Amino acid sequence: MGRVLRMRKRKKKNPKPDLYKNSTLEYVELVKWMKELGWKPTCKLVSSYFQNTGRGMIAKENIFAGSTIAKIPYRLLITVKTVLESKIGWIFSRHKFFTTQQVLSVFLVWERHLGEFSTWNKYINCLPKTFSCPAYCNNIDWLPSNLKEKTKDIQNNILKTYHAVVNIIDKKKCDHCNTFLSSIFAYEMYSWAWCIVSTRAVYLCPSTILQSYVLLSDENNLALAPYIDFFNHNCCAEVKAYIVESEGIYQIETLIPFSKNSEIFINYGPLSNDRLFIDYGFIIPSNIQDIVSFSYDNVLDAVNEIIPSNKYINEYRCRFLKEKKLFTDVSCHADGLSWDCQALIFVFSCPPDVKIEEIKRSIFSNKFKNHSWDIICRVVKVIINKKLNEYEKESSELMIKHGEITKMYGECFTFVRGLLGEHIKLLNKCALSLETEKK
Ligand SMILES: C[S@@+](CC[C@H](N)C(=O)[O-])C[C@H]1O[C@@H](n2cnc3c(N)ncnc32)[C@H](O)[C@@H]1O
């Protein structure tokens, strides 16, 4: 058999993955436009669809640790400065405070309205039209209570910042098409833009390029970075992202390798599934950063159940808890309890005659006597059992509402169910790890 025939036979046996064909026309156009503006790719990557993660980036060659996977010149970043220098920047010239997210959202609504007349058209065309984040749902009554509360806060914030913008545009018209700005800035458009910013913006260290002459009520550290916002998140990915002022670029380096034909991930931060779902609209099964949080009342009720005589904590203990901010991260993870959680339960469960100095010593050395550790574990088991019941109940309630909700919010619904399942899995693992730690 000749060499060519052998190669053809081998190709037939191991067909090249069809992955690259998945690049959408919008992505191809985006890259073309970026190249016209002087952007150069640093690695052979292309957009593709993945069964588990949706649209993302695939490696067309082996990528080594330390490789720069993207370099984006300043002029291709959308920052507060970009907005202020644009035609819609006048909105922010009033002596009022705005948030960075509000400024970027207004810009996106405006540029989307301009359509093919927008400089950013190729980028806008690539952006998703809908989201699985709970904040994008019109009806959130079906969400489990904890998620509902957090979502309501975000939606209130979107609404508040939206009204502030609408008050400024008042009865003005678009000088392009004479449409009233109030109909261009419809609430649906603004909440779409808001979700684009929360799911896609990158965090930049405030630096000279971000200097702006607008009153911001938060730090000016958000930017939309075309191309970089095609990378999906993985909790195991390790990256370094930073501005190189001398080159006028924002760049992102991978600290781990990726093999050819695999999805390239970046890391959005050490985010639990709750945070991933609320902010980005997805979860990661067996997420190594996952936690289940406990409230102050969860802890206090459980301590009272185990030690009914402990009805109060004295003033010194209260002050100590507040000073050390021991309510900040009261949670458990698959391998055990957070430090705050152990400390809080210990303070609550110590007999009244134990001096505060002794309590501090145990907490800061992270060494508890067997008896104390035993009580901490018993208290946590009570909390875990209550939480498990709560999640099981919420899960079955969700299934009752299944039909009507999936019709409206299919993807979001699937993630909520997945989230509850992940919480249940994590609590069971944590209970098991406490058993082993005790032995
Ligand atoms: C910065 S964008 C990443 C690119 C995006 N997938 C796209 O098609 O444009 C962030 C969004 O991607 C999705 N995403 C990111 N990482 C994911 C993952 N590991 N699994 C599922 N969806 C993910 C979520 O919808 C998230 O809001």
Side-chain angles (χ1 to χ4, degrees), residues 357-379:
E357 284 68 31
E358 203 181 323
I359 294 182
K360 285 183 188 173
R361 216 173 304 125
S362 296
I363 289 177
F364 293 120
S365 65
N366 210 10
K367 283 194 185 111
F368 299 102
K369 290 184 180 144
N370 283 350
H371 170 72
S372 306
W373 182 244
D374 192 50
I375 291 184
I376 293 175
C377 289
R378 282 168 59 204
V379 169

Side-chain angles (χ1 to χ4, degrees), residues 22 38 64 66 95 117 130-131 135 214 228 240 255 306 318 362 400:
N22 276 332
F64 301 101
H95 294 289
F117 298 104
T130 182
F131 310 88
V214 63
I228 283 189
K240 224 163 90 182
L255 303 180
I306 298 294
C318 255
S362 296
I400 297 169

Side-chain angles (χ1 to χ4, degrees), residues 52-53 55 199-200 229-233 265 268 280 282 284:
N52 295 329
T53 55
R55 188 175 64 172
T199 57
R200 307 181 81 84
D229 63 359
F230 272 71
F231 290 100
N232 285 327
H233 164 85
F265 289 105
Y268 301 173
Y280 296 93
F282 71 98
I284 298 219

Side-chain angles (χ1 to χ4, degrees), residues 227-246:
Y227 187 83
I228 283 189
D229 63 359
F230 272 71
F231 290 100
N232 285 327
H233 164 85
N234 190 293
C235 49
C236 298
E238 289 174 48
V239 290
K240 224 163 90 182
Y242 51 96
I243 278 178
V244 185
E245 298 232 8
S246 56

